[in-house]
């Protein structure tokens, strides 16, 4: 079988199952007595084992099989769940993740897991030392005794008895066929399906033990029994079933001792026409749960489709070109004043607007794809730091554009590590302060307008502002004069400066002064910003604001001489026309009094080194923009209006142009530069 065509599906599903294992193992640590969770982990591991064996990745299948043995021992109450055992199982999942990533990178998925396998074997066997002799006896008995003894005798209801009796009267044989699969069988459900397929060609299946649904879910050991009505001989059936790979043995016995209830004859219970149809109908009735289940699964599967992300990117690029042409058409229509053309363009604008929403929604991914990896990371870090920490995740279903999702993971890792190392105190310190010894870190996400907010809050020590200011002065991040004017929030935000760290010594977790400056630069490159609110002794709140999407944005177009510039609407508070006489000077900086706040003014012509500033005119057009809690007024020549534009990068040659984040092509074919308000305010 050529497995290459299934490789992408295998990788995607393997990652999903490993993620499910991680989540359920974390739950299991909190509820060690809940065997339902163990079953969930077991199911994910079992599916992964079957998939990897089918794809030919034996190392993954073998390691998963050993992990399964430990889980099986837990759910059979041979082993009790401890943190130490879970550490080893987590390690096994980590190894499996590494092997899957290796396959994705074009490798073979091989890894030296001998030591881990021997540890898993020790856990599996070493925990049952008390009853070692009993277990050995049981194991030897199981090896000698045929597995079919585990299946209890079949019990038939009146309907089944009637079918069997009438079939025998018409010359059919009724057999109980007990099939034993090999103990190392990896795909039990597939083997059951193959056995059923062979038997259904030879006759009609009346009953199975366990039920069809249990067999389909692999909810049985290695043995199952099928009742078949056929005209074939037992030896012929045995030979056919034994041809199925991984079948260990087949035992066939005629059905005997099945009698109808007293006073009822076969002819009274069913007429002849019903007799011939009975086995088939009954088989359908028996198989109904299976068919119904499959129908439901098929229905659900058809509701979603996996699409390569590259295709979505191509689709987005094509649509961006369409948006540019739409703007051009609108421009032409407004010049020609043709009613038919205007009507067509309006309709096209509405349809393309709907299409734009659909495409943007297709690219939206829940932030849980990023959040999912944090509980396991927090658990490990808490153990390394010898702290007790509870991570709460709120709003994981909040959706963000894929381009933002790809970038936001690393900044959040740095923020969480910082909260665990610097924020949450040790259990002893917390108890001394009258706090519960377990610290709480809350990660929440929510939508607000055209933005997504991601907040990380902890109930730890908060930021020691005096210490931060002292370090900032030592490192030359701020001067003495600046330090005197800083607010508490501005002092707290000094920890985002490059090379800044308050750690006394360098550890694996922190201390090198890299991390939070990366957080700040990454978030700002995404068009967002980060604010810090901290209360000493009570905790800190880091708030990250991000745009919903980075590709198509709403802007305000403005004139500077003959050039057109675009200012993102997400940064604008409002536009205003002000009197030149209202402009004041403070510390060599032009400012205005805007609704009771002093707002500095920035003349864009000065910034972009253009000639002819209109300071002599009585009125000035100003765009008030905001970054976090800081504002600025941008002086422009005139406002053009609001428009949706496609954000295009300036390319590799123009990467570091000050205060310009990109460009767009307008309806008339003219290029407009997009102003980076964050850089201007900074």
């Amino acid at each position: 079988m050529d497995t290459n065509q299934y490789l992408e599906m295998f990788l995607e599903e393997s990652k999903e199952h490993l993620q499910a294992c991680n989540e359920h193992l974390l739950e299991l640590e909190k509820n060690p007595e809940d065997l339902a969770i163990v079953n969930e982990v077991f199911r994910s591991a079992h599916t992964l084992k079957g998939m990897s064996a089918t794809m030919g990745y034996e190392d993954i299948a073998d390691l998963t099989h050993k992990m399964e043995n430990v889980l099986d021992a837990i759910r059979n109450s041979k082993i009790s769940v401890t943190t130490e055992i879970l550490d080893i199982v987590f390690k096994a999942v980590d190894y499996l993740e590494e092997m899957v990533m290796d396959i994705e990178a074009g490798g073979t998925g091989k890894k030296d897991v001998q030591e881990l396998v021997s540890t898993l074997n020790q856990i599996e066997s070493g925990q049952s030392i008390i009853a070692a002799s009993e277990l050995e006896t049981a194991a030897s008995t199981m090896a000698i005794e045929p597995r079919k003894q585990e299946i209890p005798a079949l019990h038939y209801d009146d309907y089944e008895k009637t079918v069997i009796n009438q079939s025998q009267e018409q010359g059919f044989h009724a057999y109980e066929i007990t099939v034993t699969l090999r103990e190392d069988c990896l795909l039990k459900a597939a083997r059951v399906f193959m056995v059923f397929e062979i038997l259904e060609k030879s006759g009609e299946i009346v009953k199975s033990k366990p039920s069809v649904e249990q067999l389909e879910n692999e909810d049985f050991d290695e043995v199952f029994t099928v009742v078949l009505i056929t005209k074939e001989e037992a030896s012929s059936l045995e030979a056919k079933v034994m041809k199925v790979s991984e079948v260990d043995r087949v035992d066939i016995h005629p059905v005997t001792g099945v009698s109808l209830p007293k006073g009822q004859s076969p002819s009274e219970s069913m007429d002849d026409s019903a007799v011939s149809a009975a086995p088939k109908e009954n088989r359908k009735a028996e198989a109904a749960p299976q068919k119904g289940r499959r129908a439901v699964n098929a229905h659900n599967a058809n509701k979603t489709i996996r699409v390569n992300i590259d295709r979505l990117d191509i689709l987005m690029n094509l649509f961006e070109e369409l948006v540019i042409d739409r703007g051009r058409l609108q421009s032409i229509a407004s010049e020609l004043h043709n009613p038919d053309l205007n009507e067509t363009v309006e309709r096209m604008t509405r349809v393309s607007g709907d299409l734009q929403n659909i495409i943007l929604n297709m690219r939206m991914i829940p932030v849980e794809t990023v959040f999912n990896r944090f509980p396991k990371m927090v658990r490990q870090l808490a153990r390394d730091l010898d702290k007790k920490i509870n991570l709460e995740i709120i709003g994981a279903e909040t959706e963000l554009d894929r381009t933002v999702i790809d970038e936001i993971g690393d900044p959040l890792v740095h923020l969480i590590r910082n909260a665990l190392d610097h924020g949450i105190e040790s259990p002893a310190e917390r108890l001394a302060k009258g706090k519960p010894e377990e610290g709480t870190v809350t990660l929440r996400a929510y939508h607000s307008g055209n933005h997504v907010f991601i907040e990380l809050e902890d109930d730890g020590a908060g930021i020691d502002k005096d210490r931060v200011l002292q370090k900032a002065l030592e490192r030359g991040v701020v001067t003495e004069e600046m330090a005197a004017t800083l607010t508490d929030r501005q002092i707290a935000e000094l920890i985002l400066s490059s090379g800044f760290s308050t750690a006394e010594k360098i550890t694996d977790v922190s201390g090198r002064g890299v991390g939070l400056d990366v957080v700040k630069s990454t978030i700002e490159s995404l068009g967002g910003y980060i604010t810090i609110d901290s209360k000493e002794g009570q905790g800190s709140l880091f708030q990250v604001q991000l745009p919903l999407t980075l590709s198509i944005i709403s802007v305000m177009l403005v004139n500077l001489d003959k050039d057109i510039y675009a200012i993102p609407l997400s940064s604008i508070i409002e536009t205003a026309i002000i009197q030149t006489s209202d402009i004041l000077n403070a510390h060599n900086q032009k400012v205005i009094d805007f609704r009771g706040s002093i707002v500095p003014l920035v003349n864009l012509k000065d910034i972009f080194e253009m000639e002819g500033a209109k300071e002599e005119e009585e009125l000035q057009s100003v765009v008030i923009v905001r970054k976090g809690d800081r504002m600025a007024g941008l002086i422009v020549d005139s406002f053009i209006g609001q428009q949706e534009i496609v954000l295009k990068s300036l390319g590799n040659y123009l990467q570091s142009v000050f205060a310009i984040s990109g460009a767009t092509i307008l309806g008339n074919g003219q290029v407009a530069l997009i102003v980076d308000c964050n850089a201007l305010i900074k």
Side-chain angles (χ1 to χ4, degrees), residues 210-394:
S211 70
V212 173
E213 194 165 10
Q214 286 173 304
L215 292 171
E216 197 178 45
N217 292 335
E218 298 195 357
D219 188 11
F220 68 106
D221 289 327
E222 279 76 38
V223 191
F224 64 95
T225 301
V226 174
V227 179
L228 182 76
I229 292 174
T230 180
K231 284 203 168 179
E232 284 195 36
E233 294 302 318
S235 55
S236 165
L237 292 170
E238 184 179 352
K240 285 181 180 179
V241 176
M242 282 302 291
K243 283 182 183 175
V244 176
S245 59
E246 297 188 307
V247 168
D248 194 27
R249 60 183 290 169
V250 179
D251 296 293
I252 302 180
H253 303 286
V255 177
T256 54
V258 174
S259 57
L260 291 171
K262 271 189 175 177
Q264 188 179 331
S265 68
S267 55
E268 286 171 344
S269 61
M270 302 176 86
D271 61 27
D272 284 349
S273 62
V275 172
S276 56
K280 188 170 284 189
E281 282 177 9
N282 196 51
R283 182 174 65 84
K284 281 180 182 172
E286 186 69 35
Q290 179 191 29
K291 286 196 174 176
R293 180 187 159 86
R294 279 194 182 155
V296 170
N297 286 349
H299 181 63
N300 287 342
N302 290 338
K303 280 190 172 181
T304 57
I305 184 169
R306 289 186 195 273
V307 179
N308 191 309
I309 282 169
D310 294 339
R311 291 185 186 176
L312 287 181
D313 287 342
I314 292 165
L315 178 64
M316 194 67 195
N317 287 333
L318 290 171
F319 183 75
E320 286 170 358
E321 297 301 324
L322 197 63
V323 170
I324 291 166
D325 288 337
R326 180 181 75 186
R328 179 94 178 106
L329 266 177
Q330 286 170 324
S331 177
I332 293 167
S334 64
E335 289 169 12
L336 294 178
H337 302 295
N338 183 310
D340 290 342
L341 180 60
N342 282 336
E343 189 182 329
T344 307
V345 168
E346 278 177 24
R347 178 165 170 72
M348 183 185 159
T349 305
R350 279 200 308 274
V351 171
S352 60
D354 293 342
L355 184 59
Q356 178 179 324
N357 288 334
I358 289 169
I359 292 173
L360 290 177
N361 283 333
M362 279 168 63
R363 292 167 55 85
M364 295 298 233
I365 301 173
V367 290
E368 68 181 340
T369 53
V370 178
F371 286 6
N372 278 346
R373 58 175 151 150
F374 297 143
K376 185 176 166 189
M377 183 186 93
V378 168
R379 173 191 183 271
Q380 191 56 50
L381 268 176
R383 298 201 71 195
D384 293 346
L385 296 165
D386 201 20
K387 294 179 179 179
K388 292 185 177 179
I389 296 165
N390 173 41
L391 176 68
E392 289 181 2
I393 293 178
I394 301 165

Side-chain angles (χ1 to χ4, degrees), residues 651-668:
N652 295 331
Y653 293 107
L654 298 168
Q655 282 186 327
S656 55
V657 179
F658 175 68
I660 297 293
S661 59
T664 187
I665 303 169
L666 300 174
N668 59 4

